DNA sequence: GTTGACTTGTCAAATATTGACAAATATAAG
DNA sequence: CTTATATTTGTCAATATTTGACAAGTCAAC
């Protein structure tokens, strides 16, 4: 289960959309959307943006979940997961300052 | 430049080892080690463990940098980088609690 | 038992990553 | 300047991973 997939499904159901409907706009078949919702496949960034517009939420919201899923996937089985995330976070903060 | 690559080079120079020497123990050629040090190629996890033992530092230290590099690579160009990292961090913390 | 929504499994095609090599550059020594 | 050693750069085929598409499956409502 991915954060993004869960959120997409939640929003889709709130809006009473069928997978068929969303999938068509993403230009994939329903099995693919099903897999994205269940976290079996990763959406493309471009698809995340389209999803945000279909589901009427800010792009940043879904992009955040999309990235968070990828980060989590990398560290999830590691003892040093938290430490690694914090090192990366520090670097992001450092680079942002410089900008 | 990656955190891991910089650290490897630093440790290698502190110990006066040549790339040739380290590369042999990693079972790669020196161009490959050069690229790992400069962050042009990613080391395998197994190689990171060997590096820790060659360079006499705790495995966790290098693994942390190795993971942090990967996390940073994912989020580095994104506006929501920080938020995404924090979401992932929350999930790591949550899962750790459950264990 | 037919329909509609969704899921599962499989596969080849597209894409990305890897390791190896030759060649280039850099540095230092004689 | 020429040689020797260390490191870097560029390229390429081999390998691995990801992707999209399809057929077939489950499940629930009717």
């Amino acid at each position: 289960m991915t954060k993004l997939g869960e959120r997409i499904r939640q929003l889709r159901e709130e809006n009473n959309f069928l997978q068929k409907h969303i999938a068509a706009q993403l230009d994939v078949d329903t099995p693919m959307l099903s897999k994205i919702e269940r976290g079996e496949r990763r959406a493309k960034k471009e698809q995340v943006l389209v999803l945000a517009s279909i589901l009427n939420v800010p792009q940043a919201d879904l992009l955040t979940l999309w990235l968070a899923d990828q980060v989590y996937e990398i560290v999830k089985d590691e003892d040093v997961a938290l430490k690694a995330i914090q090192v990366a976070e520090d670097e992001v903060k450092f680079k942002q300052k410089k900008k």
Side-chain angles (χ1 to χ4, degrees), chain A residues 72-89:
Chain A
Y72 183 72
E73 182 61 24
I74 286 178
V75 303
K76 68 176 180 206
D77 292 326
E78 302 286 343
D79 290 341
V80 296
L82 261 187
K83 217 172 300 189
I85 286 182
Q86 283 154 4
V87 170
E89 182 174 342

Side-chain angles (χ1 to χ4, degrees), chain A residues 3-62:
Chain A
K3 295 264 179 192
L4 178 63
E6 285 173 22
R7 185 81 181 112
I8 290 171
R9 175 155 300 186
Q10 181 189 34
L11 289 166
R12 180 172 67 79
E13 289 176 347
E14 277 176 24
N15 287 277
N16 272 89
F17 292 147
L18 298 178
Q19 285 185 348
K20 185 172 60 171
H21 179 233
I22 309 277
Q25 297 188 65
L26 288 183
D27 201 38
V28 298
D29 60 9
T30 58
M32 180 63 68
L33 180 59
S34 169
K35 284 165 185 170
I36 290 172
E37 285 186 352
R38 289 173 297 106
E40 194 183 318
R41 291 292 176 89
R42 174 179 305 164
K44 292 178 173 179
K45 182 174 181 178
E46 184 199 298
Q47 293 172 330
V48 175
L49 302 181
V50 175
L51 281 164
S53 103
I54 298 173
L55 299 168
N56 265 297
V57 291
Q59 293 188 341
D61 289 8
L62 298 191

